[in-house]
Amino acid sequence: MNQKQQKPTLSGQRFKTRKRDEKERFDPTQFQDCIIQGLTETGTDLEAVAKFLDASGAKLDYRRYAETLFDILVAGGMLAPGGTLADDMTRTDVCVFAAQEDLETMQAFAQVFNKLIRRYKYLEKGFEDEVKKLLLFLKGFSESERNKLAMLTGILLANGTLNASILNSLYNENLVKEGVSAAFAVKLFKSWINEKDINAVAVSLRKVNMDNRLMELFPANKQSVEHFSKYFTEAGLKELSEYVRNQQTIGARKELQKELQEQMSRGDPFKDIILYIKEEMKKNNISEQTVIAIIWSSVMSTVEWNKKEELVAEQAIKHLKQYSPLLAAFTTQGQSELTLLLKIQEYCYDNIHFMKAFQKIVVLFYKVLCLNRPQMARD
């Protein structure tokens, strides 16, 4: 009775955690030490570096430490926010930033990245993320480091290792404001065009809808074709300047056609439409031949045409007679008249129902002085 009663206890089964389910502690420093030790042993022989990285992927967790791996290969060690290397961190000189600042050396480094990513495909996304991050850190790098990174990026864009969407990082407000983006773009596009050509560059930019955004490399008050052309032409990139100028003209033409069709659908007076077109021609340096082609296309798209061949000719004559003053206003040159005639011919041949209407349309325009007018009448 005097014995102390034992308190009841709950007993259960203790489960042993499987080794594969145990989470390994995230330790980028240890990973960094392994990579740097290996790079130190290989030295500056980039063939040996590529072989070391290939073999190490079987032993080290590249998937988990992709950012650390690419930090080391580019900057020599793990980067802190802003792009600086911590003073107490181990670093290596076998990296892009410590290499010689020339195109041949950067091409050799590009091969190292190519081989690594071809061997370990899962690194593709991590590498793109790394480059995007590095571009945002540009202010934290020296001018020489920025130049090397720009050349390397251009080469990797040319050979398809990187997607042109990474260039979005260059539109960062602070980078643009301080002129870092434009200066970086010069080196990047030089190496890119050196590997390919302007047409290949244009295709890559178009795929990611960046072909019309290049002027955003400059602050808002400098976003003009004139400033862009002057800056990049003086830097030795005349082909890029001409490409942007052509893109701007194409964009202006599309905008002109869109607005023209809206004005026609609203039934705006011809004098207002003519004034608008002339202002756009002057502002965007658009020729009369280009404008007459746009007007013809817009006029023919504003109506739903009859499917019967015997009725469409009459409908076309009535419709075109209504718009003849607009067409006449922009056929003041012989070349413009010829352009209009060719556009009529193309349209009639492309749309079979208009075949019999071709002759009647041409006669109509002769009668309303759209075509073949004496020079005196123009003056």
Side-chain angles (χ1 to χ4, degrees):
M1 294 294 293
N2 296 332
Q3 286 183 353
K4 209 171 183 180
Q5 286 188 338
Q6 256 188 332
K7 290 183 180 179
T9 58
L10 291 173
S11 62
Q13 190 174 357
R14 185 174 293 177
F15 291 95
K16 189 177 180 182
T17 307
R18 292 183 180 182
K19 192 170 183 180
R20 70 181 182 188
D21 295 331
E22 289 179 3
K23 285 193 176 180
E24 186 183 343
R25 189 168 61 89
F26 184 72
D27 188 5
T29 305
Q30 186 179 353
F31 176 86
Q32 176 184 245
D33 291 342
C34 292
I35 294 293
I36 288 178
Q37 183 182 345
L39 292 176
T40 303
E41 291 171 3
T42 61
T44 55
D45 181 357
L46 294 185
E47 281 290 334
V49 168
K51 288 177 182 177
F52 160 71
L53 293 171
D54 187 298
S56 296
K59 297 175 284 184
L60 300 175
D61 193 349
Y62 281 177
R63 191 186 298 273
R64 194 176 193 194
Y65 298 107
E67 183 179 2
T68 304
L69 174 63
F70 292 127
D71 274 359
I72 295 166
L73 294 176
V74 173
M78 284 191 294
L79 291 170
T84 57
L85 282 168
D87 294 333
D88 57 342
M89 281 287 185
T90 311
R91 62 166 296 166
T92 176
D93 287 333
V94 185
C95 64
V96 172
F97 284 178
Q100 289 185 338
E101 188 184 326
D102 59 68
L103 198 58
E104 189 178 348
T105 303
M106 292 305 107
Q107 287 169 335
F109 264 100
Q111 283 302 309
V112 172
F113 286 103
N114 284 338
K115 289 175 183 177
L116 178 62
I117 291 167
R118 279 203 305 266
R119 177 69 176 82
Y120 301 102
K121 292 287 286 182
Y122 59 80
L123 287 174
E124 278 183 358
K125 178 68 169 60
F127 186 51
E128 284 202 357
D129 291 342
E130 173 73 10
V131 175
K132 289 176 187 176
K133 180 191 79 174
L134 291 171
L135 297 187
L136 291 174
F137 287 172
L138 285 178
K139 283 172 63 180
F141 305 146
S142 69
E143 185 181 352
S144 177
E145 289 170 344
R146 288 199 291 265
N147 289 343
K148 293 168 195 173
L149 181 60
M151 287 189 281
L152 176 68
T153 306
I155 296 163
L156 294 171
L157 283 166
N159 63 32
T161 303
L162 287 174
N163 185 285
S165 61
I166 58 105
L167 298 178
N168 272 309
S169 294
L170 290 179
Y171 299 131
N172 175 273
E173 187 179 352
N174 291 325
L175 295 177
V176 170
K177 186 179 178 181
E178 297 191 22
V180 174
S181 293
F184 185 86
V186 167
K187 291 285 184 182
L188 183 150
F189 280 110
K190 275 188 176 180
S191 64
W192 192 353
I193 293 170
N194 180 70
E195 296 289 314
K196 293 287 187 179
D197 57 34
I198 190 62
N199 295 323
V201 171
V203 169
S204 296
L205 292 173
R206 201 176 302 122
K207 282 181 180 177
V208 294
N209 298 316
M210 213 167 284
D211 48 328
N212 291 315
R213 293 192 62 196
L214 292 179
M215 279 195 289
E216 293 176 38
L217 292 167
F218 297 99
N221 62 339
K222 293 181 179 178
Q223 287 180 16
S224 68
V225 176
E226 290 70 27
H227 180 78
F228 187 99
S229 296
K230 185 175 184 295
Y231 185 91
F232 280 93
T233 300
E234 288 177 355
L237 284 165
K238 187 179 179 182
E239 58 267 68
L240 185 66
S241 301
E242 290 174 351
Y243 167 72
V244 168
R245 190 176 288 278
N246 289 337
Q247 286 299 112
Q248 188 71 7
T249 304
I250 291 167
R253 290 176 193 169
K254 287 180 180 177
E255 191 61 34
L256 172 60
Q257 183 156 9
K258 181 183 175 184
E259 179 60 26
L260 186 55
Q261 288 172 344
E262 288 179 2
Q263 290 179 350
M264 288 178 180
S265 64
R266 290 197 303 263
D268 291 3
F270 285 145
K271 64 176 184 178
D272 294 345
I273 296 176
I274 290 168
L275 182 62
Y276 165 73
I277 294 172
K278 286 184 175 178
E279 287 175 352
E280 289 299 303
M281 286 173 68
K282 186 177 180 181
K283 184 170 75 175
N284 296 296
N285 195 27
I286 304 174
S287 67
E288 190 178 79
Q289 294 95 292
T290 301
V291 163
I292 195 62
I294 291 172
I295 294 173
W296 168 261
S297 176
S298 300
V299 167
M300 297 306 282
S301 66
T302 57
V303 65
E304 190 174 336
W305 297 106
N306 201 304
K307 299 296 181 186
K308 295 183 179 179
E309 192 174 359
E310 61 273 15
L311 297 176
V312 79
E314 184 182 343
Q315 184 188 9
I317 296 301
K318 184 179 179 182
H319 180 68
L320 291 170
K321 198 169 186 180
Q322 178 189 349
Y323 283 97
S324 58
L326 182 60
L327 291 157
F330 296 97
T331 48
T332 64
Q333 303 167 11
Q335 195 64 40
S336 306
E337 294 174 346
L338 179 59
T339 299
L340 177 57
L341 186 60
L342 289 171
K343 286 296 174 184
I344 297 167
Q345 187 179 35
E346 285 173 11
Y347 190 88
C348 292
Y349 275 90
D350 289 342
N351 299 272
I352 194 70
H353 297 306
F354 281 82
M355 286 293 286
K356 290 183 180 179
F358 174 69
Q359 188 176 352
K360 292 180 180 180
I361 294 171
V362 174
V363 170
L364 167 69
F365 286 146
Y366 269 104
K367 286 181 179 178
V368 295
L369 303 179
C370 273
L371 297 171
N372 203 29
R373 287 175 293 185
Q375 186 66 37
M376 189 180 295
R378 294 179 204 150
D379 298 337

